[in-house]
Amino acid sequence: MALPASTTIGFIGLGVMGQPMALNLARAGIPLVVWNRSSERCESLCAAGAKVASDPDGVFKNTNIVILMLANASVIDSVLGRDTPAFANRIEGKTIVHMGTTSPEYSLALEAVIRAAGGAYVEAPVSGSRKPAEEGQLVAMLAGQSDAIEKIQPILEPICPERFICGPVPNALLMKLSVNTFLITMVTGLAEAFHFAERHKLDVQQLQAILDAGPMASSVSRIKGQKLAAQDYDVQASISDVLMNNRLIFEKARNAKLASPLIDVCYSLYSETEELGHGGLDMAAIVRAIDARTDNI
């Protein structure tokens, strides 16, 4: 389904994930107006043909669909001007697409105020890290009213070729937290495997080759295995970002009175990794917390 000729897309938030996502939209020929707090993050978008707004108002005034890829709820509220007179002017007649990760409760409340202000809302968190974002291979989970979801489907095609409609808000974020429960525990187990092998003076490159050749291999295990073998922690999904996701899962499980034994252990380990000063490293650096525990035995 092609975009209507009058459609212009706003994109706010050009971080580790947002910048490559926006670049793929611009390179696909989608008319784009972007803004980011750090203006240097906009340079590559400008070179790719996007217009750069001087502030969030410049995005909302010149677009009818606005994608938000922002760090947390407080930043989203600030950009939208929530609880200020600017909010209704920015929102009325617009479709807001929330592609970051926040608590499901926050998203549900955000949908209510956006719809009350005359806007439409789609929850669209993604599964994937920087590399899939760069390759346009993220997986989107969508929730919201069917007409709003239908409107944004062609826009998401260049960044999320696989999209799953999960029902009403906040089901997409609940699904994202379910997916991340598996991701976080899997990468933690992989890091522990490399720690075990390294401390037994085994060839970790051989461990990686065996894992890659076996039935447990996946694109995630291959990427993170390479990082662990090389001790390369250049960020794709940071410790601090994963810890935030882990916290959301942990809190949602507690509030729902659900057992979450593996995610509870991961929560402790990611917290310890951040406390060791590694918050800006890739999530594979959780091995540093495991190393520290061993060194203190």
Side-chain angles (χ1 to χ4, degrees):
M1 181 172 62
L3 287 174
S6 60
T7 302
T8 304
I9 311 304
F11 200 110
I12 298 178
L14 303 175
V16 171
M17 295 286 289
Q19 187 183 59
M21 290 165 68
L23 275 169
N24 281 327
L25 292 176
R27 289 166 179 163
I30 292 176
L32 209 60
V33 181
V34 304
W35 181 80
N36 191 71
R37 287 184 191 276
S38 303
S39 59
E40 65 272 11
R41 301 287 294 180
C42 298
E43 292 173 3
S44 59
L45 271 299
C46 185
K51 296 179 180 178
V52 178
S54 59
D55 55 29
D57 269 332
V59 176
F60 288 100
K61 287 177 181 177
N62 294 290
T63 61
N64 39 32
I65 297 173
V66 180
I67 295 172
L68 305 178
M69 192 62 182
L70 296 167
N72 55 52
S74 63
V75 176
I76 294 170
D77 286 347
S78 175
V79 163
L80 294 177
R82 192 171 174 182
D83 299 323
T84 74
F87 181 74
N89 291 333
R90 288 176 178 172
I91 297 303
E92 186 176 8
K94 312 293 184 184
T95 298
I96 307 300
V97 185
H98 170 27
M99 297 195 75
T101 304
T102 59
S103 75
E105 292 81 5
Y106 169 81
S107 183
L108 187 61
L110 183 62
E111 179 193 39
V113 296
I114 286 174
R115 291 180 61 183
Y121 179 77
V122 177
E123 196 179 70
V126 296
S127 178
S129 59
R130 186 182 69 185
K131 184 173 174 57
E134 291 170 346
E135 295 172 348
Q137 293 297 318
L138 297 168
V139 177
M141 291 145 277
L142 309 177
Q145 293 186 296
S146 57
D147 56 342
I149 290 174
E150 183 178 0
K151 181 187 293 186
I152 71 160
Q153 289 268 25
I155 298 162
L156 297 182
E157 177 66 32
I159 54 178
C160 305
E162 293 283 351
R163 301 177 298 280
F164 295 86
I165 299 174
C166 300
V169 173
N171 279 7
L173 273 166
L174 286 169
M175 188 65 77
K176 169 69 183 289
L177 297 184
S178 301
V179 169
N180 277 1
T181 297
F182 178 51
L183 170 67
I184 292 167
T185 55
M186 177 177 64
V187 173
T188 303
L190 185 67
E192 186 169 332
F194 273 82
H195 170 80
F196 183 88
E198 189 271 331
R199 292 299 175 117
H200 282 89
K201 304 189 185 307
L202 300 179
D203 182 344
V204 292
Q205 301 288 343
Q206 186 179 56
L207 170 62
Q208 180 194 341
I210 292 168
L211 291 172
D212 288 352
M216 296 178 291
S218 69
S219 58
V220 172
S221 72
R222 289 188 175 99
I223 291 169
K224 299 306 182 188
Q226 289 172 4
K227 284 185 163 297
L228 287 159
Q231 297 185 14
D232 164 25
Y233 304 120
D234 182 43
V235 68
Q236 293 178 340
S238 74
I239 289 289
S240 292
D241 184 58
V242 175
L243 176 58
M244 180 273 291
N245 279 263
N246 199 326
R247 182 181 297 112
L248 290 174
I249 301 165
F250 175 86
E251 291 174 350
K252 190 64 181 173
R254 295 291 78 74
N255 292 340
K257 294 183 169 38
L258 301 178
S260 55
L262 297 180
I263 210 70
D264 294 357
V265 171
C266 293
Y267 189 21
S268 296
L269 285 167
Y270 279 97
S271 297
E272 291 167 25
T273 310
E274 187 176 64
E275 288 165 7
L276 288 167
H278 306 312
L281 301 182
D282 186 75
M283 67 184 297
I286 193 172
V287 74
R288 299 283 179 84
I290 302 171
D291 286 336
R293 285 195 182 190
T294 289
D295 293 341
N296 288 323
I297 292 175

